[in-house]
Amino acid sequence: MNDLPDAHFRALVHPNTGEVTTVDIPDHGCNSDFAAIINGEKGRFFVKAMFNNPGGRKDSILRERAINPSVQPLSPRLLWSVDGDDAGWIILGFEAIEERGLDFEPGSPDLPLAVDLLNRAAALELPDVARDWTEDRWDAYVGSDEELAFLRGDALLHTDINPSNLTTGSSGSWIIDWSWPTRGPAFIDPACFVVQLISAGHSPESAESWAAGCTAWSNADPKAIDVFAAAYLRMLRTIADRRPDEGWLEAMAEAARAWTDHRGIPEAGR
């Protein structure tokens, strides 16, 4: 059981897993301190965990736990959790599903499924637990209070739309990793999808044509989309400049630049 973090972690999960037989660490990255498929006497689980320290990472796993009942059956079910001030970890145990991330490249047969998943997400009601989770990560990148008003709304947002988080398998399709659900305008998730599509090789026109299949996009004020597109570029440009060794950030900033150019947004990268 050397792939479990430590003996304390093993003791914490044991009441839910029984004796652990295998630990399969995923190949793709995960924004948590531990993530793996754990097979044990009591079943097979996808387990993710964060150190129980104050801050955003702890907040994200607590949000993921709190939102899970409200995003069924779009997300795998949370079956159990372990935490405590003296536990050292916050651990979530989800049903393990056979899945793969969607292919966002041009011509992919997965693209209609991605649109369907986004529409299913848009149909979710905003639960009471999320009413105080106002989306604010783009606030610093708008130019006025008038622009800021376009980034407020009452939809439940996932906000991390990418090919790894939209998945499919023999038993269904899902949006996974609800690590930072927030409340905001419904078009934001399809808008994030547009930038991901451009990064995957689509032209901005093609990306927006796929987003047009999303009800939240088609119902949005074009000016609101412009405000978001400009703010998203400014945010990505700022982060990419701070972390020049992470090429994927530069690629995302270039995709956002192509999108704002297509929409004719002046000085979007200021």
Side-chain angles (χ1 to χ4, degrees):
M1 298 310 98
N2 292 332
D3 286 328
L4 292 178
D6 50 47
H8 189 206
F9 188 100
R10 189 177 306 118
L12 289 171
V13 301
H14 187 271
N16 297 293
T17 63
E19 192 66 27
V20 172
T21 54
T22 62
V23 178
D24 301 320
I25 306 294
D27 293 332
H28 57 274
C30 185
N31 294 321
S32 56
D33 296 311
F34 175 84
I37 297 289
I38 290 181
N39 288 285
E41 291 177 310
K42 297 186 178 182
R44 178 177 171 86
F45 309 95
F46 173 68
V47 176
K48 66 187 299 185
M50 296 284 196
F51 293 122
N52 194 359
N53 298 323
R57 288 168 65 82
K58 175 180 177 179
D59 290 346
S60 73
I61 201 168
L62 292 177
R63 284 198 185 194
E64 185 165 10
R65 180 172 66 183
I67 203 64
N68 187 262
S70 300
V71 294
Q72 300 303 314
L74 191 57
S75 171
R77 287 180 303 125
L78 178 65
L79 302 176
W80 50 265
S81 67
V82 180
D83 72 284
D85 292 340
D86 59 350
W89 291 94
I90 300 173
I91 309 170
L92 306 184
F94 295 87
E95 61 179 332
I97 56 176
E98 298 297 329
E99 60 177 337
R100 63 166 178 83
L102 299 190
D103 179 358
F104 280 11
E105 293 181 355
S108 167
D110 290 345
L111 295 173
L113 180 54
V115 171
D116 177 67
L117 283 167
L118 289 169
N119 281 330
R120 289 168 59 193
L124 295 171
E125 293 186 5
L126 180 74
D128 288 343
V129 70
R131 292 198 177 276
D132 292 333
W133 298 347
T134 301
E135 177 53 65
D136 61 5
R137 77 198 73 187
W138 288 280
D139 287 10
Y141 302 97
V142 299
S144 67
D145 289 342
E146 179 185 3
E147 289 187 347
L148 184 61
F150 284 114
L151 303 186
R152 294 292 181 262
D154 290 318
L156 175 65
L157 302 177
H158 181 279
T159 69
D160 192 12
I161 302 301
N162 65 62
S164 296
N165 286 341
L166 274 62
T167 71
T168 189
S170 60
S171 59
S173 56
W174 304 270
I175 298 181
I176 65 170
D177 197 9
W178 289 77
S179 296
W180 208 253
T182 56
R183 177 174 65 87
F187 74 83
I188 282 185
D189 279 349
C192 293
F193 180 51
V194 167
V195 178
Q196 289 286 337
L197 290 175
I198 297 171
S199 182
H202 290 257
S203 68
E205 294 88 346
S206 171
E208 288 195 342
S209 73
W210 283 105
C214 299
T215 54
W217 174 276
S218 60
N219 292 332
D221 183 339
K223 172 107 187 220
I225 296 175
D226 285 348
V227 167
F228 176 78
Y232 200 13
L233 171 58
R234 293 171 195 143
M235 183 181 77
L236 288 169
R237 183 74 272 156
T238 299
I239 298 172
D241 288 346
R242 289 173 181 167
R243 293 153 61 180
D245 295 336
E246 299 185 44
W248 71 273
L249 284 170
E250 182 64 31
M252 290 299 296
E254 287 302 310
R257 167 65 72 185
W259 187 30
T260 58
D261 287 349
H262 167 68
R263 295 187 68 85
I265 302 171
E267 300 181 17
R270 72 177 186 270

